[in-house]
Amino acid sequence: MNNKTQNIHKNTNKNKMLVASIAMVVALALLSSPLVAMDNDALATNKKGNKAKQSIEQSQSSNQNGLCVSGASTFFSCNNASFQHQFNSGNNALAQSGQGGNSAEQSISQSQSSNQGSIVVSGGDTVGSGNNINVQSQTNTGSNAAAQS
């Protein structure tokens, strides 16, 4: 081999080593970047605290008014009837793990209200008039469960 051929061969080997080194650094960076991202964001359980807020809410409202004015009898008039029922079978389940502290708020709430008013002015009988009937019930078979470590 002459001197010129030996120099080309040495330069080719150096270029191959340089390309292999760059490829190795890029491969390591690509392999390690998902691990770093999962540790900080996706899993968020080892070094960070967790915050969670869950709620199941139900609300009902009834507003009724009646006004009757009559010069004669007012039979079964100006009555208000309200029937409200709420049923909840939902559950809140929560599990957290983290070294930075955990915070959890869970609630299941139900509320109902009824406002009724009735005015009857009559020149005769007012049998069965001006009555307010309100029936409300709430059933909750749901549960809250939280586990933290």
Side-chain angles (χ1 to χ4, degrees):
M1 229 186 259
N2 65 22
N3 201 13
K4 193 174 187 182
T5 305
Q6 285 177 344
N7 285 342
I8 291 173
H9 191 62
K10 282 182 184 179
N11 286 340
T12 303
N13 283 342
K14 284 182 184 177
N15 287 342
K16 285 181 182 178
M17 290 295 285
L18 179 64
V19 169
S21 298
I22 291 171
M24 187 75 111
V25 169
V26 169
L28 285 172
L30 290 173
L31 286 174
S32 65
S33 64
L35 297 176
V36 171
M38 285 194 313
D39 183 47
N40 290 331
D41 296 325
L43 297 177
T45 58
N46 293 329
K47 297 179 183 176
K48 294 182 177 181
N50 299 303
K51 294 181 181 178
K53 190 178 218 179
Q54 294 179 314
S55 65
I56 297 174
E57 297 181 9
Q58 295 176 312
S59 179
Q60 291 178 325
S61 179
S62 173
N63 296 308
Q64 298 175 325
N65 292 306
L67 171 64
C68 291
V69 178
S70 173
S73 295
T74 53
F75 178 73
F76 204 68
S77 300
C78 291
N79 295 306
N80 294 314
S82 174
F83 302 95
Q84 297 177 338
H85 177 72
Q86 291 180 332
F87 178 78
N88 175 28
S89 61
N91 296 305
N92 280 339
L94 176 66
Q96 295 178 323
S97 174
Q99 296 175 350
N102 297 315
S103 171
E105 292 180 33
Q106 292 179 296
S107 66
I108 296 176
S109 63
Q110 296 173 311
S111 67
Q112 294 174 321
S113 68
S114 177
N115 299 310
Q116 296 175 319
S118 183
I119 299 172
V120 178
V121 178
S122 177
D125 292 333
T126 58
V127 176
S129 299
N131 296 301
N132 295 311
I133 299 169
N134 182 27
V135 177
Q136 296 178 330
S137 66
Q138 294 178 328
T139 304
N140 180 18
T141 59
S143 60
N144 279 337
Q148 296 179 329
S149 66

